[in-house]
Amino acid sequence: ATLDTILQDMKYLSKWTVLDRIKKCAQNTGSSGFVKIYYTGHGETNTGNWCFKDGKVTLKEIIDTVKSVNSTCHIYIYADCCYSGDWAVELKHY
């Protein structure tokens, strides 16, 4: 893929594409592996949820997506968006 193709893909990125790609990464990770996810974009006010053209991605959706295909996979999330700290607070529930 060229940089132009990657940037064009990002411009039209949808919630379901993001979750599908995260799922594929988790499937390709061994039992002692990890998935690193870097997001930069818009974070929803007071939640930090990631905003896309067709909806928002929540922390729970990411965790559920990864764990649905790889229950032992560690998840590292690097979020460069507004309200991303809200997810750190939400992690107390997991």
Side-chain angles (χ1 to χ4, degrees):
T2 65
L3 180 58
D4 182 53
T5 305
I6 292 168
L7 292 175
Q8 183 179 22
D9 187 36
M10 290 171 56
K11 182 178 178 183
Y12 300 103
L13 206 54
S14 71
K15 168 184 179 165
W16 302 113
T17 300
V18 168
L19 291 174
D20 182 60
R21 289 183 183 175
I22 290 171
K23 185 177 189 175
K24 286 178 182 174
C25 287
Q27 287 172 326
N28 293 327
T29 301
S31 61
S32 62
F34 56 88
V35 173
K36 289 184 181 180
I37 303 166
Y38 178 78
Y39 172 77
T40 183
H42 182 68
E44 182 182 40
T45 303
N46 297 321
T47 68
N49 294 336
W50 301 347
C51 300
F52 297 96
K53 66 178 184 171
D54 63 338
K56 297 170 183 73
V57 172
T58 67
L59 176 61
K60 181 178 182 339
E61 288 174 316
I62 291 174
I63 292 171
D64 290 348
T65 297
V66 170
K67 298 301 180 181
S68 73
V69 295
N70 190 335
S71 62
T72 61
C73 184
H74 296 281
I75 307 166
Y76 296 94
I77 298 174
Y78 304 90
D80 181 14
C81 61
C82 292
Y83 300 96
S84 59
D86 289 1
W87 281 20
V89 173
E90 189 177 338
L91 277 172
K92 290 190 284 186
H93 302 290
Y94 292 94

